[in-house]
Every structure is written in structure tokens, then in C-alpha cells.
Amino acid sequence: MEDFDVDALLDTIMSEVVEKPTIYSKLGGHDVFVKISTAFYDKLLEIAPTIPSFNVMFICPGATKEKLAQDQYEYLIQRFGGPDLYSQRKGWPAMKLRHAQFEIKKDDAALWMSIMQQSLEEVLGDKFPAEKAEILSALGDQAEDLITTREDGSRVYGPLDRRTYAQQIAELKASYH
């Protein structure tokens, strides 16, 4: 029986594997996402004081535009195929848990999406139409999933309301250790 070189076989296999480019790499990486998030928060923070849910979420002690943008661009980078910067700094994203404490209605999610679409257009212009559509589709699904409150003011889900955000995150962290 002939010896075979496992390393050579693995090299051959790996050389034939073609990685599909990610949205992160297609758009140009880190700096593009920083620009998108900066444009986003420039717009959002102008109107946040007039939108009750945005006022509560984004106008609070210690929440600077830079910190808000960093949270967002690190999340977007991770979500769309870049390094896991968000998880390295803040832990598992758990967006539904992180937003459970806020009153987010359908109109709030739609406004958030509108601002994101404007920000993508501002930064990317007419370039990358397929990637913009993919980003908006993914974030649109997520924005809809983050809605916590019906238009009549009743909560969409109740059990999370009984625990504080800190308790939810502590429980989440404990389940991963």
C-alpha cells in the first residue's frame, strides 16, 4: 500500500475551495461601515429628541454619537462577513434581548430602516445595488423582529418584561460559559 501525503491532499483541496466574497469585503471593509454608521447617527440624532422611543434609546447618559456608531458598525461588520468585533467587545449580539427593554413600534422600525437606507445611499451612491438590497432585507427582517410594542401600547411579548436587561444579559452569559 502506498503512503499518501495528507498535507498535500489538504493543500490541493483547499486550493480548489473558493470562498464566496462577503458583503463586508465587497463594500471595501471596515472604513465603509464606519461611514455608514456615522451617516446613520448624524441623521438619527437630529430627529431622536422628537421620537419618544428614539429619545429613550439614543439620548441617554454616556451615549455619545461615537459610541452608538461604534456599536452599530461593529455589529454590521460582524453581521455582513467581517471580523467579530462586536462580540469581542460586547459579547453575543442578542439583539432581541438588548432591545427588549425599549418600546419599539412598527413605525419606529420603519423609520430606523428609512434612515439606514438613506445612509447606505449617501455612502455608497449607486454602487453595490445587490449588496444594499441584501443589507436592507436582512436588517428589515431584524427590525421587524425587534418590535416590542403594538400600536395600542401592549407588549408583543411578556416574559422578557419581567426581567431587567442586566438580568437577561447575565443569564445569557451564564448559558455560554
Side-chain angles (χ1 to χ4, degrees):
M1 188 158 161
E2 212 175 299
D3 285 336
F4 94 32
D5 185 350
V6 174
D7 290 331
L9 178 61
L10 285 174
D11 287 344
T12 302
I13 292 169
M14 294 309 292
S15 69
E16 294 175 9
V17 173
V18 177
E19 284 191 35
K20 180 181 174 189
T22 64
I23 289 176
Y24 172 79
S25 63
K26 287 179 185 179
L27 297 186
H30 182 274
D31 291 346
V32 172
F33 285 90
V34 171
K35 289 176 184 173
I36 292 166
S37 293
T38 300
F40 177 88
Y41 279 103
D42 284 344
K43 293 169 185 19
L44 184 136
L45 291 175
E46 279 184 32
I47 64 166
T50 66
I51 311 292
S53 63
F54 284 14
N55 190 26
V56 170
M57 284 189 283
F58 303 112
I59 309 294
C60 54
T64 65
K65 180 178 90 168
E66 293 74 19
K67 286 181 182 179
L68 293 166
Q70 181 182 9
D71 286 348
Q72 185 185 72
Y73 70 69
E74 286 181 352
Y75 173 74
L76 294 174
I77 285 170
Q78 181 171 323
R79 173 83 191 261
F80 294 106
D84 63 346
L85 301 175
Y86 186 92
S87 290
Q88 289 175 29
R89 191 169 59 85
K90 296 193 75 156
W92 187 51
M95 289 298 147
K96 192 160 189 165
L97 287 177
R98 292 182 189 273
H99 291 80
Q101 65 183 324
F102 301 113
E103 183 177 292
I104 303 170
K105 295 181 178 178
K106 188 174 185 175
D107 288 348
D108 300 321
L111 180 55
W112 190 98
M113 285 302 301
S114 173
I115 296 167
M116 178 54 72
Q117 182 171 6
Q118 292 168 36
S119 302
L120 288 167
E121 294 299 327
E122 179 181 317
V123 173
L124 301 174
D126 356 348
K127 294 185 262 177
F128 307 107
E131 290 77 10
K132 284 190 288 192
E134 192 172 337
I135 290 169
L136 290 171
S137 175
L139 294 179
D141 291 345
Q142 185 171 19
E144 189 172 308
D145 196 42
L146 295 180
I147 294 169
T148 61
T149 308
R150 292 179 190 88
E151 295 309 313
D152 66 5
S154 63
R155 297 291 284 187
V156 172
Y157 46 87
L160 293 175
D161 296 339
R162 294 189 200 115
R163 299 190 326 263
T164 67
Y165 172 72
Q167 289 170 322
Q168 294 169 37
I169 295 302
E171 290 168 13
L172 182 64
K173 285 181 179 177
S175 71
Y176 281 89
H177 294 309

